[in-house]
Amino acid sequence: MSDDSETTARRAPAGRPSADDAPASLPPAARAFTEGLQQDVAFLDGLLAGTTRSGEAGRHKVSDEDVAAALGLFEDMRTALDRLEAQVVIEARRRGMEWREIAGHQGMKSSQAASQRYQRLVTRLEEIRQGIR
């Protein structure tokens, strides 16, 4: 069974920095990723706001090029998030967390689901690295 069907409600960790506080508290690589992600999200928010405000039928405030650029963001964002997730799972395991605990924090019901998700992430990232995907 896939981990998607085993997802449960997630809890935010106590003391997690807000989006405004996060960049100052992160290592440089994570800070750069976070800032880039925030820019991408702001672009997507603006794009979606522009599409919902186009009052006249057939007239769009957002260009086709902006829509195409937005579509192009997702694969890179997904890959970057997968890489970060894999790194955090590796760190959790290095610190002695059991798969059961990791599963709970990821909103999954079983340790098997968390382990399989990690394996899929690692496989996907390796395929991207090798140019297979």
Side-chain angles (χ1 to χ4, degrees):
M1 184 176 280
S2 78
D3 59 344
D4 295 333
S5 66
E6 296 181 0
T7 303
T8 59
R10 293 181 180 95
R11 273 193 346 205
R16 178 170 57 182
S18 69
D20 295 333
D21 298 331
S25 64
L26 294 173
R31 185 178 318 123
F33 169 76
T34 300
E35 290 169 356
L37 185 59
Q38 288 172 338
Q39 290 171 356
D40 292 345
V41 169
F43 172 74
L44 293 169
D45 283 344
L47 178 125
L48 292 174
T51 60
T52 59
R53 291 188 192 133
S54 54
E56 301 176 32
R59 304 245 336 161
H60 303 285
K61 291 184 178 185
V62 176
S63 71
D64 291 347
E65 292 81 17
D66 284 345
V67 172
L71 290 170
L73 290 175
F74 292 106
E75 190 59 28
D76 288 342
M77 292 169 68
R78 190 172 292 115
T79 299
L81 287 170
D82 286 351
R83 186 173 291 115
L84 286 173
E85 183 177 349
Q87 290 171 343
V88 171
V89 170
I90 289 167
E91 180 62 17
R93 294 291 293 158
R94 188 185 71 74
R95 292 177 180 222
M97 285 183 88
E98 299 290 331
W99 282 111
R100 176 182 34 79
E101 295 174 272
I102 294 169
H105 291 296
Q106 290 183 311
M108 297 175 203
K109 292 182 180 179
S110 74
S111 57
Q112 181 180 7
S115 176
Q116 288 174 346
R117 176 178 174 85
Y118 170 74
Q119 289 302 319
R120 282 192 304 275
L121 286 173
V122 170
T123 299
R124 180 176 184 272
L125 292 169
E126 182 60 20
E127 289 173 351
I128 289 169
R129 188 187 72 74
Q130 292 180 8
I132 297 170
R133 279 193 185 207

